[in-house]
Amino acid sequence: MRKGSLSRIRRPSALWLRRGIQFGTLVAFLVLLVAARRGGAPPSLANLPMRLDPLTTLAHAIAARVLLPGSALALLTLALTLLFGRAWCGWLCPLGTLLDAVPSPRSAVRRTFPETWRRAKHFLWLTLLAAALLGNLTLLVLDPLTLVIRTFGAALWPALERMVTAAEVAAYALPPLRPAVEALDRLLRPAVFPVEAPFYRAPVLYALVLGTVLALNGLAPRFWCRYLCPLGGLLGLVSKVGLVRREVTPACTHCGACARVCPTGTIRPDRDYASDPAECTMCLECREACPYKAIRFPARPALAPMEAYDPDRRTALAALGVAALGIALFRSDRFTRRSPLIRPPGARENHLTARCVRCGLCVRACPTGAIQPALLEGGLESLWTPVLIPRLGYCDYSCNACGQVCPVEAIPPLPLEEKRRAVLGRAYIDRNRCIPWADHRPCIVCEEMCPVPEKAIVLEEVTVTDATGQPVTVQRPRVVEERCIGCGICEYKCPVSGEAAIWVSAVEG
Amino acid sequence: MSSLDRREFLRYCALGLGALIGGPVLAACRPRPSPTPAPGPSFTPIPASPTPGSPATTPSSTPSASLTTVPEYPHLAVARGGEPEDLVRRAVDALGGMGRFVRPGNDVIIKPNICVAYHTYEYAATTNPWVVGALVRMCYEAGARQVRVMDYPFGGTPEEAYAQSGIAEQVRAAGGEMEVMARFKFVETEIPEGLDLRQCAIYEDILKADVVINVPIAKHHSLARLTLGMKNLMGTIWDRPAMHRNLGQRLADLTSRIRPTLTVVDAVRILTAHGPTGGNLDDVRKLDTVIASPDIVAADAFAATLFGLRPEDLSYVRAGATMGLGRSDLENLRIAEV
């Protein structure tokens, strides 16, 4: 391999073009993701990668029964696929690029897996779309873009921030380094990292999911793309009618070099080294590896034959059955009866679960870390949909970023004035723990923080007897229900340790 | 193997990271203008016992020099009627001009109240941007080397609050610098004179600056009754909820450690209810008034009267006067109305 890379340097090839595009796309994707935070890139730019994703777009359109003009971008990806097959997977997909960077066993020691395994991804996307038809989008957690965005936004980027902060603090302790640390910090915050870093729940879980997908490369290169990726499966099916595709000329000597380098293992020695366009990512590795220049990629419109692992009626029926059963199971879950989750502004009324594509861009955009991907608190059906956890962050009265960045308007793009009136829930005071109520000591933090112009928390001055029998005057907070918007800043800032003495409960419905 | 191998991937990552980190680090290594070797005598507020055990803050104050000059100037100046910038200039000029507080080469920090990112200045939740801009300009006119403006908002992000308040725009127009307060610069600091608050994480640069100008906006606050100069200093510390216990005394304790050189109370607009966040123009009154004094207690005491309160109605004014941080006996002070 090393010898190969040397010769490649001498002879610049299409592989370097592809790698350049892959790397550039990955960097652009990550930069946009970093800039998706409120105040960064324009939201319509920040959510562009998501709007290019045909799987999330199609599933959303089916489940929400609505066509969004902004999602027409996904037609570009579809057009690309009709022209060049699964070039998205080989040239653009950020997860694909990450997978290319993870080492895999060489072909000589590689296990081969049954070709029928490739059907799994078709079964996945068919189930996903069948579920979408029934109003459910839970399986989009497996879309490669949502997977990377969520992992990056709620785990890897915050982790990197912690590393940088630790390094800054360590370096700041050394006086000669202080000017450098200060200069660096001025560059990094608030442009790249938030001034007050949010916290996320279960970042290790997100990292493990992505880590598992990457680790599957240990079984075979691009294991995920071959067998599991629902987006890859969908694009693969479209590729059956592709224009440009791989062809082996009679110059082939059956040396097998191409089959050894093919990352998706679709070059079949038993078929004269032909490949399935639905599995080929147009990576061009085989073209470079061929010592006889026997591999070409001509433009020739033709329908590729269906393979044994391609979806058939049986797969479709099974997918429909699984989707129906799965959704029936979700619906019998107790969370369907009462779902006490606090949702981003305007999302609850908007049937969030049937519209959210689980991409996590809102999580990334939220400046306070209030929006978190749901774990199991709303049942499996709600997995990784956005919820507000006020103890971790509050809905900033001056911000409407989540609705602006949402690629599918699952969180409606409310103007700021309208968002300020959107009711997320309402606050309740725990009088057994509230400092003035329970301890007769002064505290007005919740009232002070309340952003509503008329204050949804009012103070009542009362004289009570404290533990020593002395009369003391305290200001006791009380929530005015009709004013409270449930932004949660009271819960976030409540100085009572552990659970707050004022907490927001979601509005039912 | 296909495509990028690990080595190459890492190499690219290292290159990118190196470029990202190396640039500013190298940039920061360029020689900086060295701070003035012998800092001029910083002004010490009226009775002011110089803070012992704080070599970082008070650069060799010379009480004798300032004591001889003090009688020349009024204790406090109030400017009424006019544009904000004009009000500030008149008030500070009546105290002897900015040159009395800022010496050439000084590092100046201006601390306005930018508590939330919710509203524009008309709502009187944040300090008037032209008041802050005028102070930046006057500091530079007095020869300041560097003028930084900062606060730590509690609602919304700092960058958003800086922009929404309009302060960022005016400060930049005046040549000043908005600094986002870095978490790692809040350092645990002893408060030797503190009666209740003995230790607290304070923003290091506030302690180190040659001159700190405190620019609160006068507004309603449910616990403190009003938030003025001493309350505004809460924006320089990390653990603010802890202050709420025994707020008056703790604010006075904090003031004893920070001792701003000059306090300028912005009462161009005041917020009379639903503070400190505001949001309702019905709660705002336009007074077109600016109060300036090197004595933070006196400034707060006088500002209280704008709301129809007596100085002793404010717990922190009482505590501050008792500790000798300044005077609240307005009837005995030389007050210049300009």
mmCIF file of all heavy atoms in Angstrom, chain A residues 394-435:
data_model
loop_
_atom_site.group_PDB
_atom_site.id
_atom_site.type_symbol
_atom_site.label_atom_id
_atom_site.label_comp_id
_atom_site.label_asym_id
_atom_site.label_seq_id
_atom_site.Cartn_x
_atom_site.Cartn_y
_atom_site.Cartn_z
ATOM 1 N N TYR A 394 -31.868 27.370 28.913
ATOM 2 C CA TYR A 394 -33.185 28.001 28.832
ATOM 3 C C TYR A 394 -33.435 28.465 27.411
ATOM 4 O O TYR A 394 -32.506 28.652 26.627
ATOM 5 C CB TYR A 394 -33.249 29.195 29.786
ATOM 6 C CG TYR A 394 -32.164 30.219 29.518
ATOM 7 C CD1 TYR A 394 -32.389 31.321 28.712
ATOM 8 C CD2 TYR A 394 -30.891 30.049 30.056
ATOM 9 C CE1 TYR A 394 -31.385 32.241 28.444
ATOM 10 C CE2 TYR A 394 -29.885 30.952 29.790
ATOM 11 C CZ TYR A 394 -30.139 32.051 28.982
ATOM 12 O OH TYR A 394 -29.137 32.933 28.715
ATOM 13 N N CYS A 395 -34.700 28.648 27.080
ATOM 14 C CA CYS A 395 -35.031 29.166 25.765
ATOM 15 C C CYS A 395 -34.832 30.684 25.805
ATOM 16 O O CYS A 395 -35.582 31.409 26.455
ATOM 17 C CB CYS A 395 -36.473 28.813 25.402
ATOM 18 S SG CYS A 395 -36.910 29.326 23.739
ATOM 19 N N ASP A 396 -33.792 31.131 25.129
ATOM 20 C CA ASP A 396 -33.369 32.535 25.149
ATOM 21 C C ASP A 396 -34.456 33.413 24.525
ATOM 22 O O ASP A 396 -34.867 33.191 23.396
ATOM 23 C CB ASP A 396 -32.042 32.626 24.387
ATOM 24 C CG ASP A 396 -31.495 34.036 24.290
ATOM 25 O OD1 ASP A 396 -32.196 34.985 24.686
ATOM 26 O OD2 ASP A 396 -30.352 34.171 23.815
ATOM 27 N N TYR A 397 -34.881 34.416 25.298
ATOM 28 C CA TYR A 397 -35.969 35.297 24.858
ATOM 29 C C TYR A 397 -35.600 36.072 23.595
ATOM 30 O O TYR A 397 -36.470 36.561 22.889
ATOM 31 C CB TYR A 397 -36.282 36.272 25.995
ATOM 32 C CG TYR A 397 -37.596 37.001 25.890
ATOM 33 C CD1 TYR A 397 -38.806 36.314 25.880
ATOM 34 C CD2 TYR A 397 -37.639 38.390 25.812
ATOM 35 C CE1 TYR A 397 -40.009 36.977 25.800
ATOM 36 C CE2 TYR A 397 -38.848 39.069 25.734
ATOM 37 C CZ TYR A 397 -40.025 38.359 25.725
ATOM 38 O OH TYR A 397 -41.225 39.019 25.641
ATOM 39 N N SER A 398 -34.317 36.165 23.303
ATOM 40 C CA SER A 398 -33.904 36.938 22.133
ATOM 41 C C SER A 398 -33.539 36.046 20.954
ATOM 42 O O SER A 398 -32.904 36.495 20.018
ATOM 43 C CB SER A 398 -32.704 37.822 22.493
ATOM 44 O OG SER A 398 -31.624 37.015 22.904
ATOM 45 N N CYS A 399 -33.931 34.794 21.011
ATOM 46 C CA CYS A 399 -33.440 33.839 20.009
ATOM 47 C C CYS A 399 -34.592 33.064 19.390
ATOM 48 O O CYS A 399 -35.531 32.673 20.074
ATOM 49 C CB CYS A 399 -32.469 32.866 20.692
ATOM 50 S SG CYS A 399 -31.891 31.531 19.643
ATOM 51 N N ASN A 400 -34.522 32.847 18.097
ATOM 52 C CA ASN A 400 -35.460 31.958 17.420
ATOM 53 C C ASN A 400 -34.706 31.061 16.442
ATOM 54 O O ASN A 400 -35.220 30.677 15.398
ATOM 55 C CB ASN A 400 -36.560 32.758 16.699
ATOM 56 C CG ASN A 400 -35.967 33.707 15.667
ATOM 57 O OD1 ASN A 400 -34.758 33.903 15.623
ATOM 58 N ND2 ASN A 400 -36.811 34.277 14.828
ATOM 59 N N ALA A 401 -33.463 30.750 16.800
ATOM 60 C CA ALA A 401 -32.568 30.065 15.863
ATOM 61 C C ALA A 401 -33.057 28.670 15.479
ATOM 62 O O ALA A 401 -32.889 28.263 14.324
ATOM 63 C CB ALA A 401 -31.168 29.976 16.464
ATOM 64 N N CYS A 402 -33.660 27.938 16.409
ATOM 65 C CA CYS A 402 -34.004 26.543 16.113
ATOM 66 C C CYS A 402 -34.998 26.463 14.952
ATOM 67 O O CYS A 402 -34.847 25.638 14.047
ATOM 68 C CB CYS A 402 -34.539 25.844 17.355
ATOM 69 S SG CYS A 402 -35.874 26.702 18.210
ATOM 70 N N GLY A 403 -36.002 27.325 14.971
ATOM 71 C CA GLY A 403 -36.994 27.308 13.909
ATOM 72 C C GLY A 403 -36.421 27.768 12.584
ATOM 73 O O GLY A 403 -36.896 27.373 11.512
ATOM 74 N N GLN A 404 -35.397 28.616 12.659
ATOM 75 C CA GLN A 404 -34.803 29.099 11.411
ATOM 76 C C GLN A 404 -33.942 28.014 10.772
ATOM 77 O O GLN A 404 -33.886 27.898 9.545
ATOM 78 C CB GLN A 404 -33.927 30.327 11.687
ATOM 79 C CG GLN A 404 -34.647 31.466 12.394
ATOM 80 C CD GLN A 404 -35.727 32.090 11.535
ATOM 81 O OE1 GLN A 404 -35.550 32.278 10.344
ATOM 82 N NE2 GLN A 404 -36.881 32.375 12.135
ATOM 83 N N VAL A 405 -33.266 27.224 11.590
ATOM 84 C CA VAL A 405 -32.294 26.279 11.032
ATOM 85 C C VAL A 405 -32.947 24.952 10.656
ATOM 86 O O VAL A 405 -32.407 24.205 9.842
ATOM 87 C CB VAL A 405 -31.119 26.067 12.021
ATOM 88 C CG1 VAL A 405 -31.463 25.021 13.067
ATOM 89 C CG2 VAL A 405 -29.848 25.698 11.276
ATOM 90 N N CYS A 406 -34.102 24.646 11.233
ATOM 91 C CA CYS A 406 -34.748 23.361 10.956
ATOM 92 C C CYS A 406 -34.964 23.197 9.454
ATOM 93 O O CYS A 406 -35.626 24.018 8.831
ATOM 94 C CB CYS A 406 -36.078 23.248 11.698
ATOM 95 S SG CYS A 406 -36.917 21.684 11.370
ATOM 96 N N PRO A 407 -34.403 22.133 8.861
ATOM 97 C CA PRO A 407 -34.469 22.021 7.396
ATOM 98 C C PRO A 407 -35.871 21.691 6.890
ATOM 99 O O PRO A 407 -36.132 21.846 5.687
ATOM 100 C CB PRO A 407 -33.483 20.895 7.084
ATOM 101 C CG PRO A 407 -33.401 20.102 8.336
ATOM 102 C CD PRO A 407 -33.626 21.050 9.470
ATOM 103 N N VAL A 408 -36.744 21.215 7.766
ATOM 104 C CA VAL A 408 -38.057 20.772 7.293
ATOM 105 C C VAL A 408 -39.200 21.475 8.021
ATOM 106 O O VAL A 408 -40.345 21.021 7.964
ATOM 107 C CB VAL A 408 -38.202 19.242 7.445
ATOM 108 C CG1 VAL A 408 -37.267 18.529 6.486
ATOM 109 C CG2 VAL A 408 -37.942 18.803 8.871
ATOM 110 N N GLU A 409 -38.885 22.577 8.700
ATOM 111 C CA GLU A 409 -39.901 23.360 9.398
ATOM 112 C C GLU A 409 -40.705 22.531 10.401
ATOM 113 O O GLU A 409 -41.874 22.805 10.667
ATOM 114 C CB GLU A 409 -40.846 24.053 8.396
ATOM 115 C CG GLU A 409 -40.085 25.018 7.493
ATOM 116 C CD GLU A 409 -40.990 25.764 6.509
ATOM 117 O OE1 GLU A 409 -42.218 25.651 6.614
ATOM 118 O OE2 GLU A 409 -40.431 26.460 5.640
ATOM 119 N N ALA A 410 -40.077 21.478 10.925
ATOM 120 C CA ALA A 410 -40.727 20.741 12.009
ATOM 121 C C ALA A 410 -40.825 21.665 13.225
ATOM 122 O O ALA A 410 -41.798 21.630 13.967
ATOM 123 C CB ALA A 410 -39.919 19.491 12.355
ATOM 124 N N ILE A 411 -39.788 22.470 13.417
ATOM 125 C CA ILE A 411 -39.880 23.608 14.330
ATOM 126 C C ILE A 411 -40.197 24.787 13.419
ATOM 127 O O ILE A 411 -39.396 25.131 12.551
ATOM 128 C CB ILE A 411 -38.553 23.852 15.068
ATOM 129 C CG1 ILE A 411 -38.099 22.577 15.780
ATOM 130 C CG2 ILE A 411 -38.698 24.998 16.057
ATOM 131 C CD1 ILE A 411 -36.699 22.667 16.339
ATOM 132 N N PRO A 412 -41.375 25.381 13.537
ATOM 133 C CA PRO A 412 -41.755 26.402 12.561
ATOM 134 C C PRO A 412 -40.841 27.625 12.648
ATOM 135 O O PRO A 412 -40.407 27.997 13.742
ATOM 136 C CB PRO A 412 -43.189 26.756 12.954
ATOM 137 C CG PRO A 412 -43.357 26.262 14.342
ATOM 138 C CD PRO A 412 -42.415 25.133 14.538
ATOM 139 N N PRO A 413 -40.530 28.218 11.504
ATOM 140 C CA PRO A 413 -39.636 29.386 11.496
ATOM 141 C C PRO A 413 -40.370 30.647 11.967
ATOM 142 O O PRO A 413 -40.692 31.526 11.177
ATOM 143 C CB PRO A 413 -39.212 29.500 10.029
ATOM 144 C CG PRO A 413 -40.313 28.861 9.263
ATOM 145 C CD PRO A 413 -40.936 27.829 10.145
ATOM 146 N N LEU A 414 -40.616 30.724 13.266
ATOM 147 C CA LEU A 414 -41.387 31.847 13.789
ATOM 148 C C LEU A 414 -40.549 33.119 13.804
ATOM 149 O O LEU A 414 -39.373 33.075 14.175
ATOM 150 C CB LEU A 414 -41.838 31.541 15.226
ATOM 151 C CG LEU A 414 -42.687 30.302 15.447
ATOM 152 C CD1 LEU A 414 -43.002 30.132 16.930
ATOM 153 C CD2 LEU A 414 -43.982 30.391 14.653
ATOM 154 N N PRO A 415 -41.151 34.246 13.429
ATOM 155 C CA PRO A 415 -40.464 35.520 13.659
ATOM 156 C C PRO A 415 -40.287 35.718 15.162
ATOM 157 O O PRO A 415 -41.073 35.178 15.954
ATOM 158 C CB PRO A 415 -41.429 36.569 13.096
ATOM 159 C CG PRO A 415 -42.449 35.812 12.326
ATOM 160 C CD PRO A 415 -42.475 34.412 12.832
ATOM 161 N N LEU A 416 -39.261 36.496 15.543
ATOM 162 C CA LEU A 416 -38.912 36.597 16.962
ATOM 163 C C LEU A 416 -40.098 37.028 17.830
ATOM 164 O O LEU A 416 -40.341 36.459 18.897
ATOM 165 C CB LEU A 416 -37.739 37.562 17.152
ATOM 166 C CG LEU A 416 -37.208 37.641 18.581
ATOM 167 C CD1 LEU A 416 -36.743 36.278 19.073
ATOM 168 C CD2 LEU A 416 -36.073 38.645 18.684
ATOM 169 N N GLU A 417 -40.861 38.011 17.349
ATOM 170 C CA GLU A 417 -41.974 38.496 18.159
ATOM 171 C C GLU A 417 -42.989 37.380 18.430
ATOM 172 O O GLU A 417 -43.540 37.261 19.514
ATOM 173 C CB GLU A 417 -42.653 39.687 17.465
ATOM 174 C CG GLU A 417 -41.986 41.024 17.764
ATOM 175 C CD GLU A 417 -41.672 41.212 19.244
ATOM 176 O OE1 GLU A 417 -42.598 41.014 20.065
ATOM 177 O OE2 GLU A 417 -40.521 41.525 19.580
ATOM 178 N N GLU A 418 -43.220 36.558 17.406
ATOM 179 C CA GLU A 418 -44.176 35.461 17.554
ATOM 180 C C GLU A 418 -43.604 34.374 18.464
ATOM 181 O O GLU A 418 -44.305 33.799 19.289
ATOM 182 C CB GLU A 418 -44.461 34.881 16.173
ATOM 183 C CG GLU A 418 -45.886 34.454 15.945
ATOM 184 C CD GLU A 418 -46.091 34.110 14.480
ATOM 185 O OE1 GLU A 418 -45.913 34.998 13.625
ATOM 186 O OE2 GLU A 418 -46.388 32.944 14.209
ATOM 187 N N LYS A 419 -42.328 34.113 18.280
ATOM 188 C CA LYS A 419 -41.683 33.090 19.109
ATOM 189 C C LYS A 419 -41.715 33.489 20.579
ATOM 190 O O LYS A 419 -41.870 32.637 21.453
ATOM 191 C CB LYS A 419 -40.244 32.888 18.627
ATOM 192 C CG LYS A 419 -39.478 31.848 19.392
ATOM 193 C CD LYS A 419 -38.477 32.499 20.300
ATOM 194 C CE LYS A 419 -38.281 31.742 21.565
ATOM 195 N NZ LYS A 419 -37.304 32.370 22.460
ATOM 196 N N ARG A 420 -41.614 34.768 20.869
ATOM 197 C CA ARG A 420 -41.643 35.214 22.261
ATOM 198 C C ARG A 420 -42.988 34.926 22.929
ATOM 199 O O ARG A 420 -43.088 34.892 24.142
ATOM 200 C CB ARG A 420 -41.347 36.719 22.341
ATOM 201 C CG ARG A 420 -39.889 37.028 22.098
ATOM 202 C CD ARG A 420 -39.617 38.509 22.168
ATOM 203 N NE ARG A 420 -38.170 38.735 22.251
ATOM 204 C CZ ARG A 420 -37.613 39.933 22.339
ATOM 205 N NH1 ARG A 420 -38.348 41.020 22.337
ATOM 206 N NH2 ARG A 420 -36.305 40.047 22.429
ATOM 207 N N ARG A 421 -44.012 34.744 22.104
ATOM 208 C CA ARG A 421 -45.320 34.449 22.677
ATOM 209 C C ARG A 421 -45.646 32.954 22.635
ATOM 210 O O ARG A 421 -46.674 32.531 23.155
ATOM 211 C CB ARG A 421 -46.403 35.236 21.922
ATOM 212 C CG ARG A 421 -46.345 36.731 22.168
ATOM 213 C CD ARG A 421 -47.571 37.430 21.605
ATOM 214 N NE ARG A 421 -47.685 37.267 20.161
ATOM 215 C CZ ARG A 421 -47.150 38.112 19.277
ATOM 216 N NH1 ARG A 421 -46.482 39.165 19.685
ATOM 217 N NH2 ARG A 421 -47.275 37.906 17.979
ATOM 218 N N ALA A 422 -44.786 32.185 21.990
ATOM 219 C CA ALA A 422 -45.032 30.741 21.902
ATOM 220 C C ALA A 422 -44.888 30.111 23.293
ATOM 221 O O ALA A 422 -43.885 30.313 23.966
ATOM 222 C CB ALA A 422 -44.044 30.104 20.925
ATOM 223 N N VAL A 423 -45.899 29.381 23.704
ATOM 224 C CA VAL A 423 -45.896 28.805 25.047
ATOM 225 C C VAL A 423 -45.318 27.394 24.995
ATOM 226 O O VAL A 423 -45.857 26.511 24.333
ATOM 227 C CB VAL A 423 -47.318 28.795 25.632
ATOM 228 C CG1 VAL A 423 -47.319 28.131 27.001
ATOM 229 C CG2 VAL A 423 -47.865 30.214 25.727
ATOM 230 N N LEU A 424 -44.214 27.187 25.689
ATOM 231 C CA LEU A 424 -43.572 25.872 25.704
ATOM 232 C C LEU A 424 -44.092 25.020 26.845
ATOM 233 O O LEU A 424 -44.022 23.804 26.815
ATOM 234 C CB LEU A 424 -42.060 26.016 25.870
ATOM 235 C CG LEU A 424 -41.336 27.052 25.018
ATOM 236 C CD1 LEU A 424 -39.848 26.961 25.261
ATOM 237 C CD2 LEU A 424 -41.626 26.807 23.562
ATOM 238 N N GLY A 425 -44.562 25.700 27.878
ATOM 239 C CA GLY A 425 -44.992 24.997 29.075
ATOM 240 C C GLY A 425 -45.290 26.049 30.119
ATOM 241 O O GLY A 425 -45.479 27.226 29.796
ATOM 242 N N ARG A 426 -45.376 25.629 31.356
ATOM 243 C CA ARG A 426 -45.504 26.663 32.390
ATOM 244 C C ARG A 426 -44.735 26.248 33.626
ATOM 245 O O ARG A 426 -44.488 25.070 33.868
ATOM 246 C CB ARG A 426 -46.962 26.969 32.707
ATOM 247 C CG ARG A 426 -47.609 26.013 33.629
ATOM 248 C CD ARG A 426 -48.774 26.664 34.365
ATOM 249 N NE ARG A 426 -48.336 27.331 35.589
ATOM 250 C CZ ARG A 426 -49.135 27.527 36.633
ATOM 251 N NH1 ARG A 426 -50.388 27.164 36.580
ATOM 252 N NH2 ARG A 426 -48.682 28.112 37.712
ATOM 253 N N ALA A 427 -44.342 27.246 34.383
ATOM 254 C CA ALA A 427 -43.495 26.995 35.541
ATOM 255 C C ALA A 427 -44.348 26.752 36.782
ATOM 256 O O ALA A 427 -45.412 27.355 36.952
ATOM 257 C CB ALA A 427 -42.567 28.188 35.761
ATOM 258 N N TYR A 428 -43.887 25.847 37.607
ATOM 259 C CA TYR A 428 -44.512 25.577 38.906
ATOM 260 C C TYR A 428 -43.461 25.744 39.988
ATOM 261 O O TYR A 428 -42.300 25.372 39.788
ATOM 262 C CB TYR A 428 -45.061 24.145 38.956
ATOM 263 C CG TYR A 428 -46.215 23.910 38.026
ATOM 264 C CD1 TYR A 428 -46.002 23.559 36.705
ATOM 265 C CD2 TYR A 428 -47.526 24.070 38.466
ATOM 266 C CE1 TYR A 428 -47.052 23.363 35.838
ATOM 267 C CE2 TYR A 428 -48.590 23.862 37.604
ATOM 268 C CZ TYR A 428 -48.353 23.513 36.288
ATOM 269 O OH TYR A 428 -49.402 23.315 35.437
ATOM 270 N N ILE A 429 -43.883 26.274 41.120
ATOM 271 C CA ILE A 429 -42.940 26.468 42.216
ATOM 272 C C ILE A 429 -43.098 25.325 43.218
ATOM 273 O O ILE A 429 -44.203 24.954 43.592
ATOM 274 C CB ILE A 429 -43.167 27.832 42.893
ATOM 275 C CG1 ILE A 429 -42.714 28.945 41.936
ATOM 276 C CG2 ILE A 429 -42.415 27.921 44.219
ATOM 277 C CD1 ILE A 429 -43.089 30.330 42.372
ATOM 278 N N ASP A 430 -41.970 24.769 43.600
ATOM 279 C CA ASP A 430 -41.966 23.740 44.635
ATOM 280 C C ASP A 430 -41.774 24.452 45.977
ATOM 281 O O ASP A 430 -40.660 24.791 46.368
ATOM 282 C CB ASP A 430 -40.813 22.757 44.359
ATOM 283 C CG ASP A 430 -40.776 21.627 45.372
ATOM 284 O OD1 ASP A 430 -41.494 21.728 46.394
ATOM 285 O OD2 ASP A 430 -40.037 20.658 45.145
ATOM 286 N N ARG A 431 -42.886 24.701 46.646
ATOM 287 C CA ARG A 431 -42.827 25.514 47.862
ATOM 288 C C ARG A 431 -42.072 24.823 48.996
ATOM 289 O O ARG A 431 -41.682 25.463 49.962
ATOM 290 C CB ARG A 431 -44.240 25.858 48.329
ATOM 291 C CG ARG A 431 -44.950 26.755 47.335
ATOM 292 C CD ARG A 431 -46.322 27.131 47.802
ATOM 293 N NE ARG A 431 -46.933 28.052 46.842
ATOM 294 C CZ ARG A 431 -48.138 28.580 46.998
ATOM 295 N NH1 ARG A 431 -48.857 28.293 48.059
ATOM 296 N NH2 ARG A 431 -48.620 29.411 46.094
ATOM 297 N N ASN A 432 -41.905 23.528 48.885
ATOM 298 C CA ASN A 432 -41.167 22.818 49.924
ATOM 299 C C ASN A 432 -39.663 23.040 49.813
ATOM 300 O O ASN A 432 -38.922 22.739 50.735
ATOM 301 C CB ASN A 432 -41.446 21.312 49.844
ATOM 302 C CG ASN A 432 -42.866 21.001 50.253
ATOM 303 O OD1 ASN A 432 -43.365 21.557 51.227
ATOM 304 N ND2 ASN A 432 -43.518 20.151 49.491
ATOM 305 N N ARG A 433 -39.226 23.555 48.655
ATOM 306 C CA ARG A 433 -37.792 23.710 48.463
ATOM 307 C C ARG A 433 -37.393 25.145 48.139
ATOM 308 O O ARG A 433 -36.225 25.505 48.268
ATOM 309 C CB ARG A 433 -37.312 22.772 47.356
ATOM 310 C CG ARG A 433 -37.733 21.317 47.638
ATOM 311 C CD ARG A 433 -37.261 20.366 46.560
ATOM 312 N NE ARG A 433 -35.824 20.252 46.566
ATOM 313 C CZ ARG A 433 -35.066 20.507 45.511
ATOM 314 N NH1 ARG A 433 -35.622 20.854 44.382
ATOM 315 N NH2 ARG A 433 -33.771 20.396 45.591
ATOM 316 N N CYS A 434 -38.355 25.939 47.717
ATOM 317 C CA CYS A 434 -38.071 27.330 47.338
ATOM 318 C C CYS A 434 -37.531 28.096 48.556
ATOM 319 O O CYS A 434 -38.094 28.013 49.659
ATOM 320 C CB CYS A 434 -39.343 27.967 46.813
ATOM 321 S SG CYS A 434 -39.188 29.726 46.507
ATOM 322 N N ILE A 435 -36.456 28.842 48.360
ATOM 323 C CA ILE A 435 -35.747 29.463 49.487
ATOM 324 C C ILE A 435 -36.656 30.377 50.329
ATOM 325 O O ILE A 435 -36.719 30.215 51.546
ATOM 326 C CB ILE A 435 -34.481 30.197 48.979
ATOM 327 C CG1 ILE A 435 -33.494 29.161 48.443
ATOM 328 C CG2 ILE A 435 -33.837 31.029 50.078
ATOM 329 C CD1 ILE A 435 -32.336 29.745 47.650
#
